[in-house]
């Protein structure tokens, strides 16, 4: 064996020893606790990304249920409420929501993410928890977009999206999830039927009421004129995306991939959505003599919203009943808000998120297998749930009224009649979602 080959063999052997030693040292550092933390971290991040994708779902639902001349405006609003809300929530909202508790009302530490937030006892990195909570905050803000679609100034939308992420949503979040007074009472809202969806729904109620209906929605004698959306196909796509994203929304709220209940939560989520669609279809089939497509889509969303509070607290029977009842309730609520209250909500956001969010939260007090009235727990949990629903309604409607009233008196809340008729795509953004809709005069130029 020549000398060069011996040297080469020695070098290879030395490299092998170094690699083996390094690998052994690394292996010694791997503990069951670190593995569990890694699994939890990946789980939270993946589910956060699913919830983020729900922004696309909301955009498609809202665009589909409204007219083509406003589609670009819808897309722009769903983009910017997340972009603006992400920054505002990072700077202020997260601290108001999860900072150290002050009197059970609001967090007061950790602005600009300057605190370690050790009091939360997280098993995952703080930044992972932040991104998970950010996508939830964006959901609350984007709900308002659909109810106020087709006649709202874009600058007004940017302002109220920022304020919802800044203070309106975080305060309710602190009450329920950040160590505030509702959490101390034992309030159960696992993934946000009230904290997220009702906050968005009640804000939408006040915004749509102050904004007024779209031109031509109601006649002088109060008759309701239907204004069909331009694409049921887009609305259906958005519903499927939202349904898919909800498998991050609810199971992800365990904040742990090691939690044995994630499968139960996923099944409950799916059953509620399916039953919501089933009973909305059956109810409209009986009522209108034909199964209504848009109401069935909203029935699925209503079931998802309703089960979000109790997805970890009820069994499959409870989930199916809650989702099915929500599917009927959303149809009744849409008609009541439209025909009786004369509030124009193009996509049914108030009914889906506000009404069905409150309903689902209350149902936890009845169907929770641990403490629910139907399982021998008495009325206590239901009263706690009622306190959470009522206080959220009062806080949100009052703060939203102040917000929208200020906007209306300053920059203005509504576009002009001419702009509304022309469409917000051109009036607000100087573009059109569909090239075929570009005016002939523009095409000539």
């Amino acid at each position: 064996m020549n000398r060069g080959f011996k040297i080469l063999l020695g070098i290879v052997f030395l490299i092998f020893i170094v690699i083996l030693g390094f690998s052994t040292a690394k292996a010694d550092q791997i503990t069951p606790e670190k593995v569990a933390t890694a699994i939890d971290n990946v789980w939270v991040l993946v589910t956060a990304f699913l919830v983020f994708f729900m922004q696309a779902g909301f955009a498609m639902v809202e665009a589909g249920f409204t007219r083509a001349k406003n589609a670009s405006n819808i897309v722009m609003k769903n983009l910017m409420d997340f972009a603006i809300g992400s920054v505002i929530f990072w700077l202020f909202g997260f601290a108001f929501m999860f900072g150290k508790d002050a009197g059970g009302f609001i967090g007061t530490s950790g602005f600009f993410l300057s605190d370690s937030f050790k009091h939360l006892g997280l098993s995952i990195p703080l930044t992972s928890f932040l991104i998970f909570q950010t996508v939830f905050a964006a959901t609350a803000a984007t709900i308002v977009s659909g109810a106020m679609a087709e006649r709202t100034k874009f600058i007004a939308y940017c302002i109220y999206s920022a304020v919802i992420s800044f203070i309106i949503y975080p305060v309710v979040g602190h009450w329920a999830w950040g160590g505030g007074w509702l959490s101390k009472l034992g309030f159960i809202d696992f993934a946000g039927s009230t904290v997220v969806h009702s906050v968005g729904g009640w804000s939408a109620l006040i915004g749509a009421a102050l904004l007024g209906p779209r031109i031509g929605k109601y006649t002088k004698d109060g008759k309701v004129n239907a204004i069909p959306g331009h694409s049921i196909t887009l609305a259906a796509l958005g519903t499927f995306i939202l349904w898919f994203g909800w498998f991050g929304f609810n199971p992800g709220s365990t904040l742990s991939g090691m939690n044995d209940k994630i499968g139960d939560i996923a099944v409950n989520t799916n059953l509620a959505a399916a039953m919501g669609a089933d009973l909305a279809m059956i109810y409209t089939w009986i009522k209108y003599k034909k199964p209504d497509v848009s109401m069935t889509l909203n029935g699925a969303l209503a079931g998802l919203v309703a089960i979000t509070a109790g997805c970890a607290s009820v069994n499959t029977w409870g989930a199916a009943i809650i989702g099915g009842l929500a599917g009927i309730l959303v149809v009744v609520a849409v008609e009541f808000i439209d025909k009786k209250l004369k509030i124009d909500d193009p996509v049914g956001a108030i009914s889906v998120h506000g009404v069905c969010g409150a309903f689902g939260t209350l149902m936890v007090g009845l169907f929770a297998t641990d403490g629910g009235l139907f399982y021998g727990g008495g009325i206590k949990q239901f009263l706690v749930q009622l306190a959470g629903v009522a206080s959220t309604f009062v806080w949100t409607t009052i703060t939203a009224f102040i917000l929208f009233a200020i906007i209306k008196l300053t920059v203005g809340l509504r576009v002009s009649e001419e702009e509304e008729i022309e469409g917000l795509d051109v009036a607000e953004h100087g573009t059109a979602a569909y090239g075929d809709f570009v005016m002939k005069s523009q095409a000539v130029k």
Side-chain angles (χ1 to χ4, degrees):
M1 188 180 293
N2 61 48
R3 187 167 178 270
F5 182 78
K6 289 181 180 179
I7 294 174
L8 179 61
L9 187 64
I11 293 173
V12 171
F13 181 73
L14 181 62
I15 292 173
F16 174 76
I17 293 297
V18 171
I19 292 173
L20 182 65
F22 180 76
S23 301
T24 303
K26 282 289 184 181
D28 291 341
Q29 294 173 15
I30 298 174
T31 64
E33 291 78 14
K34 288 185 177 181
V35 172
T37 298
I39 291 173
D40 290 347
N41 191 37
V42 171
W43 171 252
V44 169
L45 288 174
V46 169
T47 54
F49 304 153
L50 284 174
V51 178
F52 166 73
F53 191 49
M54 290 172 72
Q55 290 291 125
F58 280 114
M60 295 301 98
V61 167
E62 293 168 20
F65 280 151
T66 54
R67 288 167 290 185
K69 63 183 181 179
N70 299 304
S72 290
N73 180 255
I74 293 291
V75 170
M76 190 70 166
K77 289 193 294 184
N78 279 271
L79 170 67
M80 294 314 300
D81 65 38
F82 185 81
I84 294 170
S86 292
V87 176
I88 295 297
F89 192 73
W90 161 59
L91 292 173
F92 306 105
F94 186 77
F96 285 140
M97 192 162 172
F98 293 106
K100 293 176 182 176
D101 179 57
F105 180 76
I106 196 170
T108 57
S109 65
F111 296 97
F112 320 113
L113 211 66
S114 59
D115 194 352
S116 64
F117 290 87
K118 288 183 178 180
H119 61 280
L120 297 177
L122 297 173
S123 64
I124 56 174
L126 178 61
T127 47
S128 298
F129 185 64
L130 170 64
I131 191 62
F132 188 78
Q133 292 301 329
T134 298
V135 294
F136 271 58
T139 299
T142 201
I143 289 167
V144 186
S145 171
M148 299 176 66
E150 302 200 284
R151 72 267 199 210
T152 304
K153 283 187 175 182
F154 182 68
I155 183 63
Y157 184 79
C158 292
I159 293 170
Y160 69 68
S161 289
V163 175
I164 288 171
S165 300
F166 171 68
I167 192 69
I168 296 177
Y169 167 74
V171 166
V172 177
H174 183 79
W175 293 352
W177 297 340
W181 68 277
L182 280 177
S183 64
K184 293 172 183 175
L185 286 178
F187 178 65
I188 299 173
D189 188 5
F190 185 73
S193 287
T194 285
V195 174
V196 178
H197 294 280
S198 281
V199 167
W202 301 143
S203 298
L205 172 67
I206 299 302
L210 288 179
L211 185 62
R214 290 167 292 174
I215 296 171
K217 176 63 179 176
Y218 302 108
T219 63
K220 292 181 179 179
D221 59 359
K223 181 183 176 182
V224 178
N225 291 323
I227 302 178
H230 84 283
S231 177
I232 288 294
T233 306
L234 279 182
L237 174 62
T239 300
F240 281 119
I241 291 173
L242 288 171
W243 195 330
F244 175 64
W246 238 285
F247 291 123
F249 206 95
N250 288 357
S253 292
T254 59
L255 300 180
S256 173
M258 305 290 288
N259 193 313
D260 291 338
K261 290 185 72 69
I262 57 179
D264 298 339
I265 294 168
V267 168
N268 286 344
T269 299
N270 189 63
L271 277 175
M275 284 294 290
D278 290 341
L279 289 194
M281 180 194 69
I282 293 169
Y283 182 73
T284 58
W285 206 334
I286 294 171
K287 186 175 178 65
Y288 308 134
K289 309 306 179 186
K290 292 182 184 292
D292 186 278
V293 180
S294 62
M295 285 294 191
T296 303
L297 293 173
N298 268 340
L301 297 179
L304 289 164
V305 169
I307 198 56
T308 294
C311 56
S313 302
V314 305
N315 59 26
T316 52
W317 282 103
I321 293 170
I322 292 169
L325 291 176
I328 297 173
L329 177 61
V330 73
V331 180
V332 175
V334 165
E335 292 190 340
F336 178 79
I337 291 169
D338 191 22
K339 296 179 180 179
K340 301 298 183 182
L341 298 184
K342 295 292 189 294
I343 295 176
D344 183 15
D345 178 359
V347 305
I350 300 166
S351 302
V352 170
H353 300 278
V355 175
C356 291
F359 168 76
T361 305
L362 293 175
M363 289 301 98
V364 177
L366 304 180
F367 287 97
T369 55
D370 183 12
L373 178 63
F374 295 161
Y375 291 84
I379 197 69
K380 180 181 177 182
Q381 188 64 54
F382 182 82
L383 294 177
V384 171
Q385 298 302 106
L386 180 60
V389 168
S391 59
T392 298
F393 177 81
V394 171
W395 163 260
T396 306
T397 53
I398 290 175
T399 52
F401 180 83
I402 294 170
L403 168 62
F404 288 119
I406 292 173
I407 293 174
K408 193 172 183 178
L409 292 172
T410 52
V411 299
L413 196 56
R414 184 167 184 148
V415 298
S416 68
E417 183 175 337
E418 293 76 15
E419 290 172 325
E420 183 177 343
I421 292 171
E422 181 182 31
L424 302 190
D425 286 4
V426 174
E428 290 277 48
H429 308 289
T431 187
Y434 304 98
D436 291 344
F437 290 177
V438 177
M439 296 174 62
K440 290 183 180 180
S441 61
Q442 291 178 307
V444 171
K445 293 178 183 179

